[in-house]
Amino acid sequence: MENQLAILRNDPWLQPFAKAIDGRHDDACRALNRLTSHTGGSIVQFANAYNFYGLHRDSERNWIFRELAPNATAIWLIGTFSGWERRDEFQLRKNKDGVWETKIDKDLIRNGDLYKMAVCWDGGCGERIPAYATRVVQDPDTGIFSAEVYEPENPYVFRIKHFIPDTNPLLIYECHIGMAQEKEGVGSYEEFRLKTLPRIAADGYNAIQIMAIQEHPYYGSFGYHVSSFYAPSSRFGTPDQLKQLIDSAHELGLAVIMDIVHSHAVKNEAEGLGRIDGSPSLYFHSGDRREHPAWDSLLFDYGKDNVIHFLLSNCKYWLEEFHFDGFRFDGVTSMLYLDHGLGKAFGSYKDYYDGNQDTDAITYLTLANILIHTINPHAITIAEEMSGMPGLAMKFSEGGIGFDYRMAMGIPDYWIKLIKEKKDEDWHPSSIFWDLTNRRKDEKTISYCESHDQALVGDKTIIFRLIDKEMYWHMMADDSNFAVERGMALHKMIRLVTLATINGGYLNFMGNEFGHPEWIDFPREGNGWSYKYARRQWSLVDRKDLKYQFLNAFDNAMIDMVSAIHGFQSLAIEKLWEKDDDQILAFRRGDLIFVFNWNPSDSFSDYGFPVPAGEYEVILDSDARQFGGFGFIDDGIHHLTLPDPLYSPAGKGWLKLYLPARTAQVLRLVRGKQS
C-alpha cells in the first residue's frame, strides 16, 4: 500500500482498477525512456523537430530545407523565387529515414518569398505546404495559402525574458484576436495589444487564454481545424506582432495561455497534413479511425514516433519561441477514448477502464505535460475534458496524466439546464451548491458559467437566455423593466457563486463580464459573409447611459475581492446554511461569508444562521446601486453575531441579516470573539 501511486491511496474506489492506472503510468515511463535514449534522457532535447525540419539558415547563411516524407518519390521547393517551377537547384534528396533535404544558396531565397513543396508519389503529384512552416499567408484574391519566408530585418526582442505569473488563484479571460474589436472585420494582434489588453488588465483578470492562434484555412472554425501547427495565424498579423502582444501582456502581469489543438487536424490536403507525402497515414490513423465521426477532421495516430516528435516539438516551439505561459488542450475527451466519448454517460469508474481507452493518446498527453513543466516549471496546462477521467489533473509522479487543471465542463451545462427547465421558485440551493462543488478533491478545476461554446450561433449566452429580446429595448440606465432587472440580478448571482466556489481557477469569455448581447456567428455563406456577430461591442459597456456598465462593475468588484486573497481557491468551503424552501444558501471561505437569496419574491428580515462569532462587514452586495441594483441593504452597518449556548462552545454565534429577494452579499470577519 505504501508503494502505491498517490491517486490510488487517495481514492479507495479506484483500487479495482489499479492495474490499468499502473499500466498507463508504466506506458509513459517506457515511452519516455525509449524516445530519449539518444538524448541522454532529455525530453527537452528530443522535442527539437522544428529546429531540424523546415526552412533554416546554416552557419554560412545558406538555406537548409528538410521534410519528413517517406512515401514521396520526388520533392522540389517551388515559389516566387523559382517562378513556381520545379527547378533542379531546388530539388530535394531523400535519405534512408524518409527525410528529404536540400541546401540552397543564401541569395536565392529572400524575406517575403512565398513557397510550397511540389511532391510526387506513386500515383500522383501535388503542391503541399511544409509541415513545419512557421508562417503561412493567404492570397486575398485567390484564397490560396502558401508558406512565406519570414526573416524581418529587425526581429522582435522580448523585453521580459522570464515571466513568472502570479495566478493564485488563476483568473482567465478567454479571448479571440479576430473578434476582439468593435469593427465589422478581423481584428489584429496590434489592435488587441493596444485596445483590448488594457481592458482585461483593468478588469482584474491575471491570465488570457487566446483561441485560434494556429493557422487554419476556415475562419469560422474558431481555429479548431488547424492546418499549419507551427504558424501563428497571419489573419491577425505577423509572428513578431504576436510576440509583442505576449510581451505586453507580461508587462501588465497577465499570463498568456494558448488554446492548442492536438486532438485532430483539418482534412484539407493542399493546406494541411492530410496527404503531405501522398500517404493518408503519415501523421494519421488509416482506415476507419482516420476521420473523426463528428468533427469532419483527421485523427492523429499517437502510436507513431514521428507524430509524438511533431506534437511535442510543437509544445516546445510555442513556449520557447513565443513565450506562451502554457496551454489549454482542446478536445481531450476525444483523445482519451477510442470512441471519442461520444454518447457515453460515464456513470461509474468502470467506464474509464473498460478497454475503450486510447493508451497511445494518454501516453502522449502525459509526455506533453512532462515536457511543458520541464521547460517551464511555472507553466499552466488545462485539459478540456468532460468525461471526468480520474487523475487527468494530477501530477505524473502521483499516477496522474499531469495537467494542472481540468475544465469543469458540467457547470455551464448545469446553469443552462437550470435556466431553461426550472421555474425561479424551483432553483434549489442544495442543487446549486452540490453541482458547483462536486469534484475530485485531488484535482484542480477551472470553473466557469459560460465560455465561447455557450455563445455560438444556435446557442445563447446566460444574459440572453435571461433577458432575451428585452435587451434591445430596455437596457437604458434609467429604464425599469422586470425581465431586465431579473436577468441582471441572476447574472450577477450566477457569476459570483461560480467564482466563490472555485478550487482552482475561474474563466470568463470576452464580453460576458458585462453581458455582451447576442451570439457569435462568423462570416459564412448563410449570413452573407457578415462580421456583424463576430466582434465585441465595447461601446456598450463604455456608455454611461446603458446598464452594461453595472454588470461590468460588479464583475470587477468580485474579481478584485478574490484576487486580494492569495490562495483563495485553496481555502476550505464550509457550508453554513442551506434551505431549499426559503432558497437561501450560505457558505464560508476563510474570513468571508457568502450569502445568496435565490428566492424570486420573498425577502427576509433578521434571517439567521450560525457562523464563527464576531463582527462582520459587508464587502460586496449584488443589489448595490453601483451594480444596477436597488440598494436595499445598508452596506455601512457592521453585524455582530448573537450568542447561543448551543453554538458558543464551538466559537459560533447567530448572524442575522436582511436578505432581499434575488440578491447576494459577501461579509468579512472584521474582529473575532473569544468563545
Side-chain angles (χ1 to χ4, degrees):
M1 197 70 173
E2 291 182 1
N3 295 326
Q4 278 193 330
L5 294 167
I7 186 174
L8 296 169
R9 295 198 303 271
N10 293 351
D11 189 348
W13 293 98
L14 285 174
Q15 289 295 333
F17 313 103
K19 185 176 180 180
I21 293 171
D22 286 335
R24 78 182 184 196
H25 185 83
D26 293 342
D27 285 344
C29 289
R30 283 192 295 269
L32 184 62
N33 291 334
R34 177 174 55 80
L35 295 172
T36 63
S37 61
H38 300 296
T39 62
S42 170
I43 192 172
V44 176
Q45 289 300 314
F46 169 78
N48 221 18
Y50 65 93
N51 286 319
F52 179 78
Y53 293 110
L55 187 65
H56 302 281
R57 295 277 196 183
D58 67 9
S59 59
E60 297 177 343
R61 301 288 296 162
N62 291 312
W63 294 100
I64 301 291
F65 177 80
R66 300 184 186 95
E67 184 77 25
L68 178 66
N71 190 60
T73 56
I75 300 179
W76 292 262
L77 209 59
I78 61 173
T80 49
F81 45 78
S82 70
W84 296 101
E85 299 289 334
R86 302 176 186 177
R87 289 167 43 177
D88 291 345
E89 59 265 44
F90 300 109
Q91 187 168 10
L92 280 66
R93 299 174 304 280
K94 183 181 181 181
N95 70 18
K96 59 182 176 62
D97 296 319
V99 177
W100 292 76
E101 180 177 332
T102 187
K103 183 175 181 179
I104 302 168
D105 184 271
K106 60 179 177 289
D107 296 324
L108 292 183
I109 297 179
R110 294 184 174 85
N111 180 48
D113 277 338
L114 303 180
Y115 67 98
K116 294 183 180 182
M117 299 185 300
V119 184
C120 292
W121 57 88
D122 288 339
C125 294
E127 293 184 359
R128 298 289 187 264
I129 293 176
Y132 290 83
T134 56
R135 180 159 170 80
V136 175
V137 297
Q138 185 177 25
D139 187 289
D141 298 320
T142 66
I144 294 174
F145 286 85
S146 302
E148 182 182 49
V149 178
Y150 187 70
E151 195 180 44
E153 186 175 342
N154 296 302
Y156 187 76
V157 178
F158 283 96
R159 296 184 295 273
I160 296 182
K161 307 296 183 184
H162 303 288
F163 177 71
I164 300 177
D166 182 9
T167 51
N168 199 1
L170 177 60
L171 303 168
I172 303 172
Y173 196 91
E174 183 187 28
C175 48
H176 182 283
I177 300 295
M179 61 173 287
Q181 305 310 316
E182 186 143 359
K183 67 181 183 182
E184 294 190 25
V186 180
S188 68
Y189 296 126
E190 189 68 0
E191 288 172 317
F192 188 91
R193 183 179 72 86
L194 295 174
K195 297 179 180 180
T196 310
L197 277 180
R199 286 184 179 273
I200 299 169
D203 282 341
Y205 291 84
N206 55 31
I208 57 174
Q209 180 179 299
I210 311 181
M211 308 171 63
I213 290 296
Q214 295 165 293
E215 191 60 83
H216 46 288
Y218 179 45
Y219 187 50
S221 76
F222 232 142
Y224 291 121
H225 279 196
V226 174
S227 52
S228 295
F229 286 76
Y230 285 82
S233 180
S234 61
R235 286 183 182 86
F236 313 136
T238 68
D240 273 16
Q241 288 171 333
L242 174 58
K243 291 177 181 179
Q244 188 176 14
L245 184 163
I246 294 169
D247 213 14
S248 296
H250 288 165
E251 289 180 329
L252 291 170
L254 295 166
V256 186
I257 301 166
M258 176 178 166
D259 201 344
I260 199 167
V261 183
H262 283 179
S263 49
H264 63 136
V266 75
K267 290 171 67 174
N268 303 33
E269 294 179 3
E271 294 88 6
L273 302 174
R275 294 179 184 267
I276 197 164
D277 67 347
S279 166
S281 56
L282 176 59
Y283 290 98
F284 308 103
H285 286 289
S286 56
D288 293 340
R289 291 191 64 190
R290 187 170 187 263
E291 296 188 18
H292 196 291
W295 294 349
D296 192 34
S297 54
L298 302 181
L299 294 170
F300 287 108
D301 184 347
Y302 305 101
K304 295 175 178 173
D305 286 357
N306 67 292
V307 173
I308 298 292
H309 198 205
F310 179 82
L311 295 176
L312 287 181
S313 298
N314 194 235
C315 295
K316 180 182 175 183
Y317 170 77
W318 293 110
L319 288 173
E320 296 210 329
E321 297 297 319
F322 287 87
H323 291 199
F324 278 100
D325 298 295
F327 304 101
R328 178 262 203 191
F329 279 74
D330 176 69
V332 170
T333 304
S334 175
M335 299 172 70
L336 295 177
Y337 305 100
L338 298 175
D339 64 2
H340 312 297
L342 297 172
K344 294 191 69 171
F346 294 98
S348 73
Y349 275 172
K350 291 181 181 179
D351 294 329
Y352 303 115
Y353 309 103
D354 59 0
N356 180 42
Q357 290 66 46
D358 188 335
T359 56
D360 292 331
I362 292 171
T363 296
Y364 164 67
L365 290 170
T366 306
L367 294 178
N369 276 288
I370 292 171
L371 169 72
I372 292 163
H373 292 109
T374 301
I375 293 172
N376 180 3
H378 303 286
I380 299 160
T381 60
I382 305 168
E384 190 223 15
E385 206 283 313
M386 61 183 300
S387 78
M389 168 73 79
L392 186 69
M394 285 186 71
K395 293 178 180 179
F396 173 63
S397 61
E398 298 174 342
I401 295 174
F403 286 96
D404 297 304
Y405 305 88
R406 64 191 314 154
M407 301 292 291
M409 299 184 72
I411 293 178
D413 291 343
Y414 173 79
W415 287 123
I416 290 171
K417 186 177 178 67
L418 191 64
I419 294 169
K420 286 175 63 176
E421 299 179 5
K422 298 287 187 180
K423 295 182 294 184
D424 288 12
E425 54 266 34
D426 294 330
W427 285 33
H428 293 155
S430 59
S431 171
I432 292 171
F433 188 79
W434 166 258
D435 275 270
L436 294 183
T437 59
N438 179 27
R439 57 208 172 200
R440 299 185 65 81
K441 293 181 179 179
D442 51 6
E443 299 188 48
K444 294 184 293 185
T445 62
I446 301 295
S447 299
Y448 59 109
C449 314
E450 52 189 342
S451 66
H452 70 275
D453 286 328
Q454 286 71 43
L456 295 172
V457 67
D459 207 336
K460 290 183 178 180
T461 60
I462 285 177
I463 196 68
F464 211 64
R465 286 186 183 279
L466 292 169
I467 301 178
D468 208 71
K469 65 181 185 299
E470 302 302 320
M471 290 192 74
Y472 297 125
W473 311 107
H474 298 288
M475 288 298 284
M476 299 300 293
D478 58 355
D479 197 345
S480 178
N481 177 272
F482 172 76
V484 172
E485 290 162 0
R486 168 186 177 267
M488 289 181 62
L490 289 175
H491 190 267
K492 289 180 284 186
M493 294 178 72
I494 288 169
R495 296 175 72 81
L496 177 60
V497 74
T498 303
L499 172 62
T501 51
I502 62 172
N503 77 326
Y506 175 78
L507 178 140
N508 164 67
F509 178 66
M510 179 173 66
N512 287 351
E513 70 278 7
F514 66 84
H516 194 284
E518 300 172 331
W519 49 85
I520 297 167
D521 188 12
F522 283 94
R524 55 187 172 85
E525 188 175 0
N527 65 15
W529 302 105
S530 170
Y531 287 88
K532 182 178 180 181
Y533 298 109
R535 60 192 180 113
R536 296 286 90 175
Q537 300 178 63
W538 303 109
S539 59
L540 295 176
V541 70
D542 292 340
R543 286 175 56 178
K544 299 305 178 185
D545 60 337
L546 295 178
K547 293 184 176 181
Y548 299 100
Q549 60 176 310
F550 302 135
L551 296 177
N552 193 71
F554 181 78
D555 196 83
N556 289 177
M558 72 176 197
I559 291 292
D560 288 346
M561 175 189 69
V562 169
S563 298
I565 303 172
H566 190 76
F568 172 84
Q569 77 287 354
S570 299
L571 296 174
I573 302 177
E574 178 188 356
K575 184 164 59 178
L576 301 171
W577 193 262
E578 179 184 85
K579 203 164 188 297
D580 283 348
D581 51 352
D582 291 339
Q583 295 183 264
I584 303 296
L585 172 66
F587 57 88
R588 171 190 172 216
R589 299 197 81 165
D591 289 337
L592 300 186
I593 305 292
F594 297 84
V595 189
F596 297 83
N597 180 5
W598 298 96
N599 200 300
S601 56
D602 293 345
S603 300
F604 300 95
S605 296
D606 293 328
Y607 197 98
F609 47 88
V611 301
E615 178 183 350
Y616 289 85
E617 63 176 348
V618 176
I619 62 169
L620 186 62
D621 168 19
S622 70
D623 190 49
R625 291 190 178 277
Q626 66 262 36
F627 305 140
F630 295 101
F632 287 147
I633 299 172
D634 185 349
D635 296 344
I637 294 177
H638 281 213
H639 301 270
L640 299 175
T641 56
L642 302 177
D644 185 321
L646 183 64
Y647 290 103
S648 293
K652 290 189 174 184
W654 284 87
L655 180 64
K656 293 197 172 183
L657 303 170
Y658 173 48
L659 305 179
R662 279 203 194 101
T663 65
Q665 51 189 293
V666 184
L667 298 97
R668 179 170 55 206
L669 180 65
V670 178
R671 183 170 58 253
K673 289 186 176 179
Q674 297 296 323
S675 58

